Amino acid sequence: MTVAIFALLLLGAVPIALVLALTAMFYIQVSGNSVLFDSYPQQLFGAIESYGLLAIPLFMLAGELMNEGGVTRRLIDLARLLVGGFRGGLAYINLVANMMMAAIVGSAASQIAIMSRAMVPAMEREGYSRSYGAAITAAGGLLSPIIPPSMLFVLFGVMAQVPIAEMFIAGILPGLLLGFSFFLTIAVVGLVQQYPKGAWPSRAEAKRALLMGLPALSIPLIIIGGILLGLATPTESAALASLAALLLGRFLYRDLKVAMLPTVLRRTAVNAGLVIMLIAAAGVFGWVIVYERLPQMAAAWIAALTTDPFLFLLLLIGVLLLVGMIIDGIAALILVVPILLPIATQQFGISPYQFGVVVCLTLVLGLLTPPVGAGLYIASSMTGASPMRIFRSLLPFLLASLATLVLLAWQPWLTTALIGRG
């Protein structure tokens, strides 16, 4: 009955946080363990009682301030200087700008929304189809969950009780690898479709883009450099990035007006509140899962299928692709980690860092795949292209992402080399 109630609420379009909280309450009631209601508020609070979760609203704030303050536009101009002259130049610009934004925003959905508004109209003016421009922008959003910072990594680090800074570092090589696979995809598609050759900016334009773009580039450098050098925690880096975005947008670029700040802060508070509420509700749901010994039952079932870590990860990718198609990435992460992490680390000897990177990237692929595909609908609403046309243009990038996932599952060192763990 608990499973049936969960499915009924989920299919009834009830917000996922309420689905998790109500399902847990229903289980406690029908199980006869009403004494567990006494611990219900404590479990809700305990799920969000983590200093690391403070990084989530701070990274959201940094992204909002960058977009309103003109920092995003300067990063795009800097990307044009680096790759704008190649065939399909605007496609490369889109991807490089997305890689820069991924090092700041940390949310795939937010990044797709921001970059769709910034890049797709420009690509359409230069002869690219609207659906292809939206597809590249949406594919660039896949970089957010693995190029640090990443909200999914923050959440996974809290749940898995591993250092968030090390999770961020574990995502650097996979993020670069995924970006490289997208570069190859753009090159092949550009040759097949004969997209226009880009134009390198003039000396004056290059100088202006460099002068204005380098200060904007300081924000990802603050985040990644502070973490890599041990000068700041991820939460402190997020706060510094928000401050840098505020100062650049207000005093250097002068695009950020004081009157905008209440709207920016309100939007950040609402979005962060939704995420924190989801985490709290999922904490109670995870508590019920552990109480019912579901991890042990799942471990016994999986052990009957395979004892090979690589095959286990391939099975995991297949299952999570289906989960990610239906459930939001954050909610899905909260659901699967309590069940599958102990199996991966204790039974198969898989590093939690490799497990975290593979799980986070796989779940975010669901953001771009039907039937739910929230990322598709975000890109569609921002550009006017139909979701299915965007999806067809996205297929080469999704195949490149799957190939990268298989490589990450096969070669653990890609996620553990930079943090010095086997």
Side-chain angles (χ1 to χ4, degrees):
M1 284 298 297
T2 302
V3 175
I5 290 295
F6 176 83
L8 185 64
L9 292 174
L10 191 64
L11 295 175
V14 176
I16 188 67
L18 290 179
V19 172
L20 299 176
L22 292 174
T23 303
M25 292 178 70
F26 178 82
Y27 166 78
I28 293 172
Q29 180 63 41
V30 299
S31 67
N33 296 317
S34 56
V35 69
L36 295 178
F37 277 121
D38 296 336
S39 300
Y40 195 94
Q42 182 181 354
Q43 295 297 327
L44 279 172
F45 179 76
I48 58 174
E49 191 183 15
S50 171
Y51 172 74
L53 291 177
L54 186 58
I56 291 177
L58 289 172
F59 281 126
M60 287 182 171
L61 178 60
E64 293 284 353
L65 290 171
M66 283 182 58
N67 198 39
E68 297 292 345
V71 178
T72 303
R73 190 169 71 253
R74 272 69 183 197
L75 286 176
I76 292 172
D77 291 341
L78 188 60
R80 184 183 297 273
L81 176 62
L82 297 174
V83 294
F86 298 117
R87 179 176 296 279
L90 264 181
Y92 290 109
I93 292 169
N94 194 340
L95 182 58
V96 172
N98 267 294
M99 292 183 76
M100 294 177 182
M101 287 296 293
I104 302 164
V105 177
S107 164
S110 298
Q111 183 171 326
I112 291 169
I114 291 169
M115 297 303 291
S116 292
R117 292 196 301 267
M119 289 302 306
V120 177
M123 293 186 69
E124 195 174 9
R125 284 194 298 270
E126 294 200 14
Y128 298 84
S129 68
R130 184 180 300 182
S131 60
Y132 181 64
I136 293 179
T137 307
L142 294 175
L143 298 167
S144 286
I146 51 176
I147 290 183
S150 161
M151 280 187 238
L152 287 181
F153 278 4
V154 172
L155 183 54
F156 179 82
V158 170
M159 296 180 67
Q161 297 184 334
V162 298
I164 295 172
E166 291 190 354
M167 272 305 304
F168 282 179
I169 295 170
I172 292 176
L173 283 180
L176 294 175
L177 181 64
L178 184 61
F180 178 71
S181 72
F182 286 173
F183 271 107
L184 291 179
T185 304
I186 291 173
V188 172
V189 173
L191 287 174
V192 172
Q193 301 290 337
Q194 285 297 295
Y195 281 117
K197 192 177 187 302
W200 295 108
S202 66
R203 185 182 296 272
E205 291 173 335
K207 183 178 179 181
R208 184 167 60 252
L210 197 59
L211 287 175
M212 300 303 285
L214 286 179
L217 199 59
S218 67
I219 297 179
L221 291 177
I222 287 171
I223 296 172
I224 299 174
I227 294 170
L228 287 178
L229 297 176
L231 301 176
T233 66
T235 303
E236 292 163 351
S237 295
L240 291 172
S242 298
L243 178 61
L246 174 64
L247 295 176
L248 288 176
R250 181 73 184 95
F251 298 108
L252 179 61
Y253 302 139
R254 301 185 182 276
D255 289 351
L256 183 64
K257 309 301 180 186
V258 174
M260 298 177 181
L261 291 179
T263 301
V264 168
L265 293 172
R266 182 169 58 251
R267 195 158 55 221
T268 302
V270 169
N271 291 334
L274 291 172
V275 174
I276 298 301
M277 180 181 176
L278 177 58
I279 294 170
V284 177
F285 190 80
W287 170 52
V288 168
I289 286 174
V290 172
Y291 190 85
E292 275 292 281
R293 297 179 58 83
L294 284 183
Q296 290 86 338
M297 288 188 285
W301 177 73
I302 293 173
L305 296 177
T306 181
T307 57
D308 183 79
F310 176 56
L311 290 179
F312 166 75
L313 287 175
L314 291 183
L315 286 171
L316 179 70
I317 290 169
V319 171
L320 294 186
L321 282 173
L322 298 176
V323 171
M325 289 179 184
I326 302 170
I327 304 177
D328 174 75
I330 292 177
L333 186 72
I334 294 169
L335 289 175
V336 303
V337 168
I339 298 174
L340 297 176
L341 179 63
I343 301 171
T345 55
Q346 297 169 18
Q347 186 164 330
F348 291 93
I350 296 170
S351 162
Y353 302 99
Q354 182 190 18
F355 178 84
V357 170
V358 169
V359 167
C360 290
L361 179 54
T362 306
L363 288 176
V364 174
L365 279 178
L367 193 69
L368 302 177
T369 51
V372 178
L376 286 178
Y377 293 102
I378 291 171
S380 175
S381 65
M382 292 295 170
T383 63
S386 73
M388 288 312 299
R389 289 179 68 88
I390 296 174
F391 178 69
R392 283 195 292 270
S393 298
L394 256 174
L395 283 175
F397 297 95
L398 295 177
L399 291 175
S401 300
L402 284 174
T404 303
L405 270 172
V406 172
L407 185 59
L408 294 174
W410 181 40
Q411 297 293 332
W413 65 270
L414 288 170
T415 51
T416 58
L418 293 183
I419 55 176
R421 293 175 184 262

